[in-house]
Amino acid sequence: MPQQPRAWQRMLSGRRLDLLDPTPVDIEIADIAHGLAFVARWNGQTHGDFPYSVAEHSLLVEALFRELYPKAPARWQLAALLHDAPEYVIGDMISPVKAAVGAAYGELDSRLTAAIHIRFGLPAAIPATVKKQIKRADRISAWFEATQIAGFSEAEATKFFGRPPEAMQQSLKIVPRPPVEVREAFTARHAELMAACHD
């Protein structure tokens, strides 16, 4: 009888995460921070001495979300920080590849997102209005990444992601950092937000 293909991944923490049926108890922030810090956005096609990681992107999206929505509670800031957290095990696919793969990728992403949210005290599915706000910050981040480190012209980036508010364009500068430094920054920000959620 043929053996079933392995559907779990062993994490550095020692956890075994079932990718098809993830449970919150097998999710650790150390694994997420480490994985995201070593996953490159834009398939690694960025300028700089280091890849621009999903962890770095997530920190930027959370900062932009906070700037756009300063009255948002800490739990939604945490949701912004974790918006791409499933990519610590499934990697970061660029949008054209996601479209080609189809619904299966989205379903896997949704299951992992729900488990991650529950693990850190968030609802499995966040409200649609908050999700839309995080997506706005995500698209602004993508515009800056595209124009500053991924070789897009401003016109091309604006066509795909929309144009950020003028005030943001004057102040934001992206500089990719070493993965270990980003991993530590992501872990520290997560700890701050978790503490703020329980105040």
Side-chain angles (χ1 to χ4, degrees), residues 101-118:
V101 170
Y105 180 90
E107 291 165 9
L108 184 59
D109 184 275
S110 294
R111 283 195 295 272
L112 284 162
T113 296
I116 291 164
H117 281 179
I118 292 167

Side-chain angles (χ1 to χ4, degrees), residues 27-37 55 82 85-86 88 116 120 186:
I27 292 166
E28 299 289 347
I29 194 58
D31 294 329
I32 292 174
H34 182 84
L36 295 184
L82 296 172
Y88 86 108
I116 291 164
F120 299 114
F186 185 95

Side-chain angles (χ1 to χ4, degrees), residues 46-178:
T46 52
H47 297 289
D49 293 333
F50 303 99
Y52 186 74
S53 71
V54 176
E56 190 84 90
H57 163 77
S58 298
L59 286 162
L60 178 55
V61 169
E62 190 269 323
L64 291 169
F65 174 79
R66 215 173 341 116
E67 185 175 343
L68 291 165
Y69 308 102
K71 293 183 179 178
R75 68 182 180 276
W76 302 143
Q77 295 173 35
L78 178 61
L81 182 70
L82 296 172
H83 78 284
D84 277 341
E87 294 178 7
Y88 86 108
V89 285
I90 59 177
D92 178 42
M93 287 190 194
I94 59 173
S95 297
V97 176
K98 287 180 185 176
V101 170
Y105 180 90
E107 291 165 9
L108 184 59
D109 184 275
S110 294
R111 283 195 295 272
L112 284 162
T113 296
I116 291 164
H117 281 179
I118 292 167
R119 170 66 177 84
F120 299 114
L122 297 170
I126 62 174
T129 52
V130 176
K131 195 169 183 177
K132 187 175 179 183
Q133 290 171 341
I134 293 171
K135 188 64 183 173
R136 182 184 176 205
D138 189 30
R139 289 174 68 83
I140 291 171
S141 176
W143 188 91
F144 280 108
E145 294 166 28
T147 56
Q148 292 189 18
I149 59 172
F152 285 57
S153 68
E154 287 195 5
E156 191 177 23
T158 300
K159 177 182 173 185
F160 290 118
F161 309 115
R163 194 170 189 87
E166 200 66 39
M168 285 183 173
Q169 294 177 43
Q170 308 306 317
S171 58
L172 204 155
K173 177 68 177 165
I174 293 177
V175 180
R177 296 182 287 172

Side-chain angles (χ1 to χ4, degrees), residues 7 16-24 26 108 111-112 115:
R16 282 190 183 189
L17 182 67
D18 186 331
L19 303 185
L20 301 181
D21 187 23
T23 58
D26 289 325
L108 184 59
R111 283 195 295 272
L112 284 162

